[in-house]
């Protein structure tokens, strides 16, 4: 089983709909991240959390919100999806003081 | 602000040929540098990382990278490419002091391998 699991793996949704992407991890890491990947832009940080009570905006947080339900769970929500949020979304974890990030397999989201 | 540039969007090499993927970074202090690989339909897998010490870093799958401070580069190399190396490759630098886990990525280089 994967250490960092994202659900769903693929999702098609309509403009204006609310959607939640979920991430769970069994690595025991405190720190969790959500990135977005777009062709030609690499990955960009949306939100990150250093523990359950600590949530921070990343480079491109507008239009997104997150919830850290437990140490192992970090969800990303699009309150009202728009087509330019069509992208591949990655969840990642790391340990305090460490720079290496461990990634899930990604969620491909299409907003039509 | 820190940044990472991968000048080559797409590279095609023949199987068995050598490979070099370029990465340039912008950061004032000694950077923490990474190369990740993304195979089709898969997440990102760490190939190698540089924090300090020996500037030639060995990674998994036969890859290596060399940190050159004078050129602000961290190029990825492999002596002989296999068809299974076809993937997208990302260079990244750790944000800030390097202990936040936040990464700044380059644009990615797609590697195609010809038979």
């Amino acid at each position: 089983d994967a250490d960092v699991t994202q659900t769903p793996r693929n999702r098609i949704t309509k403009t204006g709909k609310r959607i939640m992407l979920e991430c769970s991890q069994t690595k025991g890491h405190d720190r969790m991240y959500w990135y977005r990947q777009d062709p030609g832009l690499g990955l960009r940080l949306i939100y990150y959390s250093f523990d359950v009570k600590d949530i921070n905006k990343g480079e491109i947080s507008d239009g997104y919100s997150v919830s850290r339900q437990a140490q192992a769970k970090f969800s990303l929500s699009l309150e009202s999806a728009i087509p330019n949020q069509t992208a591949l979304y990655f969840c990642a974890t790391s340990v305090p003081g460490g720079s290496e990030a461990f990634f899930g397999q990604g969620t491909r989201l299409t907003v039509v | 602000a820190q940044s990472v540039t991968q000048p080559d969007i797409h590279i095609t090499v023949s199987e068995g040929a050598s490979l070099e993927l370029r990465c340039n970074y912008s950061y004032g202090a000694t950077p923490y540098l990474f190369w990740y690989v993304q195979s089709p339909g898969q997440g990102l897998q760490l190939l190698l990382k540089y924090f300090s010490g020996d500037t030639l870093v060995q990674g998994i799958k036969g890859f290596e990278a060399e940190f050159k401070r004078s050129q602000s580069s961290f190029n990825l190399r492999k002596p002989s490419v296999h068809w299974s190396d076809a993937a997208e490759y990302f260079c990244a630098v750790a944000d800030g002091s390097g202990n936040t886990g936040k990464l700044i990525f380059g644009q990615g280089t797609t590697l195609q391998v010809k038979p």
Side-chain angles (χ1 to χ4, degrees), chain B residues 46-107:
Chain B
L46 181 68
L47 285 175
L48 47 78
K49 59 189 176 185
Y50 172 78
F51 288 176
S52 65
D54 193 346
T55 57
L56 185 61
V57 181
Q58 301 298 319
I60 62 172
K61 304 185 179 185
F63 285 93
E64 66 177 26
E66 186 171 12
F67 171 62
K68 292 186 177 180
R69 183 189 300 277
S70 62
Q71 299 178 18
S72 296
S73 69
F74 187 56
N75 294 348
L76 182 71
R77 301 193 294 248
K78 187 170 185 178
S80 178
V81 170
H82 187 263
W83 64 266
S84 61
D85 293 324
E88 189 161 19
Y89 292 80
F90 291 97
C91 181
V93 64
D95 188 23
S97 61
N99 64 357
T100 65
K102 294 160 56 182
L103 298 176
I104 297 170
F105 286 86
Q107 301 90 329

Side-chain angles (χ1 to χ4, degrees), chain A residues 31 33 35 37 99-101, chain B residues 32 36 49 98-100 103:
Chain A
R31 298 180 173 188
Y33 311 80
Y35 288 88
Q37 181 185 351
S99 291
E100 180 179 348
Chain B
Y32 291 7
Y36 283 87
K49 59 189 176 185
N99 64 357
T100 65
L103 298 176

